[in-house]
Amino acid sequence: MIDQRLYEEFRDIGRDIFVTGMTSSHGGNMSVRVGDKIIIKRRGAQLGRLKPTDFVETSFEEKDSGIIRASTELIVHRAIYEKTSALAVVHAHPRTAIVLSLSRDEIIPIDNEGSYLLRKIPVVTVELASGSKEMATKVSEALQGYKVIMQRGHGCFAIGQTLEEAYAWVSALEEVSDIILEHKLLGEEMIEYRKHSESYAKW
Amino acid sequence: MRGWAGNILDINLTDGAIDVLPLDHEMARLFLGGRGLGARLLWDLVGPEVEPLSPENVLIFTTGPITASASQTSNRFNVSTKSPLTDTILHANSGGWWGMQFKRTGYDALIVRGRAEKPTLIEITAEGVSLQDATHLWGKTVFETTEALGQDRNKRNVLCIGPAGENLVRIAAIMNDKERSLARGGAGAVMGSKNLKAIVVEGTQKNQPADKEQFKFMLYETGKLLKASPLTSQALPEFGTAVVMNVVNEIGALPTRNFQQSQFEGADQISGETITDTILETNQACWACPITCTRITKTSSGKEGEGPEFESAWAFGAQCGIDDLDAITEANYLCNDLGLDTISMGNTIGCAMELAEKRLLHSDLRFGRADLLPGLISDTAYRQGLGNDLAEGSFRMAAKYGAPELSMTVKKLEMPAYDPRGMQGQGLVYATGNRGACHETGNMLGPEVLALPRLIDRFATQGKAGIVSVHQNSAAVIDSLVYCKFANMAVAEEFFARTLTAVTGETFTADDLMMVGERVWTLERLYNLREGFTKADDTLPDRLLNEPVAEGPSKGFTAQIPPMLEEYYAFRGWDKNGVPREKKLKELSLQFAIEVAE
């Protein structure tokens, strides 16, 4: 069901997410859309050590037995594919971004590269940690206008045409968050260098 | 106006009636403008009983909500009709100035119906709309006509056909601003069939954004992206679109000698680099465009004009086994002046060359015969000698000589400059194209070759259908706004959505736009199904399916259409025969077309 090329992409990006500290050993998940099916990491598989048998193929819309083994977040992935033009979804737990999400309703990059790439990352609040309808609805709706969004206190969801693209947004988000945190820790006044920077809040 | 002018100009050439219809706002939100609005109007106006070159066919010229707003590349416009080359729905779009100027006359669209008794031109100015005798222009070339009607870059703009359109050549283009073209699918012949020589526009109205501050911010942000992209800020301005000639050749995806090979030994001589080093005089831009990819060139014999673009350089170059850049460039000029689609012209000549080499066509035509190009092109426009066969396009010509399999077409539209055996996704784009083999309706050059937005494996097939579908939807919405595809190589849909929001004052998200794209694509599919097209038409020439590439980086590959097609239909929510399901139509607000669905 999953060909070698696609497996290698899952494996390599899963390993990168783990080794860069953006998830714990068994956290995070990823999926791609193929035709009217979703290929998603199976529940409990280690993102940094994915094997060809660690994937579940399930229907895009209808329930089937594949959901027994699929990631807990399958409901969120399905909603994202239904409501956006995403072809790949990456969910991770980038630590600094999670820290910022605890006190902010949006993360607005202050570095040049981050402003250029992301402009703004909205933060949505969901009571349950994972797998709820509320989470599926809020996350998928937020991703209609953004490539990556934060769920407060939990983690991020990013979308792309490929896993690599979605992972790039996750990686950029964490870099942006690190810079914000370190600048805040430094405690110095920021010298604005961007035109229209006030407009990023409205992005 | 704020995005939409709210008016459709409706002209019947048979009786001279001129009406103004209101633009339905709900229709505008669902289809935006350009290609989408054209498809929606065509659905109601031209059914399967209508012959493309009969008075019952219509020409629908459309602009989009961002046209003339001064957003980067907001100069483009579209024409929709039923194609006399493919019998499919046809859309073609063009840049320059005419689209912007037409929008400034206060119309979103122009419907042209019927057939005039004698050659006619339409003039649209602030003083009103008039139909005028154009007998004195009939027979004149595009350059002569454009000059005679007083083309004035930013004030008065001319759209017309040349002799090819007048002579109902199935690969005739409609030309605007002298050397820009609505090229593909033979819309020029439809205009000729109506005895309509030209449309001249002079506008005074402005498309002013509803939210000026947000619009300024979007101009700034979009400008940053265009400057940051090496493609739009360096490669296209310096080398033009032919900058990709060597790149596509190096990977073994440049169709050569009627797709018999996938690498051309003379690629460098016809590349963007060589054009810049030898014949380029200056580069130029369409209205409100910072990219400046237009080539103003001068050949060694002293002839001057626009071009060649990548596709034209390929069509008269690698496709015909010709590496003489002067000859290719002058062939391009001649097509512009006579009003011909350069891709179809070059592709068809390449097919004739193979027919002749295989002794199926009795002619001294051979690959590499650059000296024969001017005569062949001229004979095509005037339907003389072999030109009368070439004027029918590659498929009809090859069929006449008993070898339709040598026609490199899909749905009778000649293929552009990418070999599907070296770019599997591009093959699927061609096979499923609603107007036939077309790279502009979902070009996979970005992801499969240029790493835009990310590099994907060009030989892979699993998962490719989704990426193709997204690119097709994206192209459809860009053609509906109407933006330039080159801008989209640096600027994502979310920017277009925010600019559209600023211009119209109505909120659009990136996914709203992508849904418009899917809606437009699906409606075009339904149109073709209503015309009698089936799954069997979603394929490629036998050569590409069954003859592996013999040498080079794509050696051993054929185009793997069947597995990708199955995945493609599933991704789109169509049944196994490629018919959109009723549920999908409801999702896309296409219930009016439900008669065609499963």
Side-chain angles (χ1 to χ4, degrees), chain A residues 30-111:
Chain A
M30 302 184 287
S31 71
V32 297
R33 185 179 165 188
V34 176
D36 56 354
K37 306 281 185 191
I38 297 171
I39 296 175
I40 189 165
K41 180 185 84 81
R42 76 166 171 80
R43 190 172 63 254
Q46 294 185 60
L47 210 59
R49 295 185 175 197
L50 288 172
K51 295 181 278 296
T53 52
D54 283 339
F55 300 93
V56 174
E57 182 179 290
T58 181
S59 164
F60 175 51
E61 292 174 330
E62 294 160 16
K63 289 183 178 168
D64 56 45
S65 56
I67 61 173
I68 297 172
R69 297 175 61 243
S71 164
T72 319
E73 316 291 19
L74 174 62
I75 185 174
V76 186
H77 289 243
R78 275 183 168 156
I80 292 169
Y81 290 122
E82 189 184 341
K83 289 187 182 167
T84 75
S85 55
L87 300 175
V89 175
V90 170
H91 168 56
H93 302 156
R95 292 172 200 184
T96 312
I98 292 172
V99 169
L100 295 184
S101 77
L102 294 171
S103 55
R104 299 174 182 221
D105 289 329
E106 56 197 21
I107 297 172
I108 298 176
I110 57 174
D111 64 300

Side-chain angles (χ1 to χ4, degrees), chain A residues 108-121 172 176 190 192-195 197 200 203, chain B residues 217 221 224-225 495:
Chain A
I108 298 176
I110 57 174
D111 64 300
N112 211 350
E113 177 92 352
S115 300
Y116 173 75
L117 290 174
L118 298 175
R119 287 163 191 81
K120 186 172 96 173
I121 303 96
V176 157
M190 178 173 164
E192 185 54 76
Y193 60 94
R194 303 161 298 176
K195 281 186 186 170
S197 60
Y200 291 129
W203 189 261
Chain B
F217 175 56
E221 288 294 310
K224 277 202 311 197
L225 294 175
F495 287 78

Side-chain angles (χ1 to χ4, degrees), chain A residues 1-7 33-37 39 57 60-61 83-87 112 115-119 140 143-147 159 161-162 164-165 168-169 193-197 199-200 202-203, chain B residues 213-214 216-218 220-221 224-225 228-229 447 452-457 459-463 465-468 470-471 490 492-495 498 509-512 514 557 567-568 570-573 583 587:
Chain A
M1 86 184 174
I2 182 168
D3 74 12
Q4 183 66 17
R5 296 169 200 267
L6 194 53
Y7 161 65
R33 185 179 165 188
V34 176
D36 56 354
K37 306 281 185 191
I39 296 175
E57 182 179 290
F60 175 51
E61 292 174 330
K83 289 187 182 167
T84 75
S85 55
L87 300 175
N112 211 350
S115 300
Y116 173 75
L117 290 174
L118 298 175
R119 287 163 191 81
S140 61
L143 283 168
Q144 289 179 319
Y146 301 87
K147 294 292 186 189
I159 58 175
Q161 289 183 15
T162 61
E164 184 189 340
E165 185 190 353
W169 302 126
Y193 60 94
R194 303 161 298 176
K195 281 186 186 170
H196 300 286
S197 60
S199 295
Y200 291 129
K202 290 188 279 182
W203 189 261
Chain B
E213 283 308 308
Q214 179 69 3
K216 269 189 212 169
F217 175 56
M218 291 313 303
Y220 178 73
E221 288 294 310
K224 277 202 311 197
L225 294 175
S229 161
L452 295 169
R454 291 284 181 279
L455 189 64
I456 59 173
D457 188 330
F459 295 118
T461 55
Q462 190 178 42
I467 299 176
V468 164
V470 167
H471 277 250
E493 289 76 12
E494 63 176 303
F495 287 78
R498 285 178 162 85
T509 66
D511 277 300
D512 289 336
M514 292 305 288
F557 282 92
E567 191 183 301
Y568 177 86
F571 183 90
R572 284 202 170 278
K583 182 182 172 207
E587 272 174 38

Side-chain angles (χ1 to χ4, degrees), chain B residues 341-378:
Chain B
D341 171 8
T342 54
I343 297 176
S344 285
M345 187 74 260
N347 184 314
T348 303
I349 291 173
C351 177
M353 287 172 165
E354 187 175 356
L355 287 169
E357 290 205 343
K358 288 188 159 58
R359 311 284 183 207
L360 295 165
L361 166 66
H362 297 295
S363 164
D364 54 359
L365 196 54
R366 295 291 180 273
F367 286 110
R369 288 292 303 269
D371 59 309
L372 297 179
L373 287 179
L376 290 167
I377 293 167
S378 180

Side-chain angles (χ1 to χ4, degrees), chain B residues 540-581:
Chain B
L540 296 175
D542 186 67
R543 169 169 290 164
L544 306 180
L545 296 173
N546 295 314
E547 291 179 21
V549 175
E551 289 180 62
S554 300
K555 183 178 177 179
F557 282 92
T558 57
Q560 300 296 307
I561 296 301
M564 289 194 291
L565 195 60
E566 187 180 338
E567 191 183 301
Y568 177 86
Y569 290 160
F571 183 90
R572 284 202 170 278
W574 301 353
D575 70 13
K576 289 185 176 173
N577 291 315
V579 179
R581 297 179 196 276

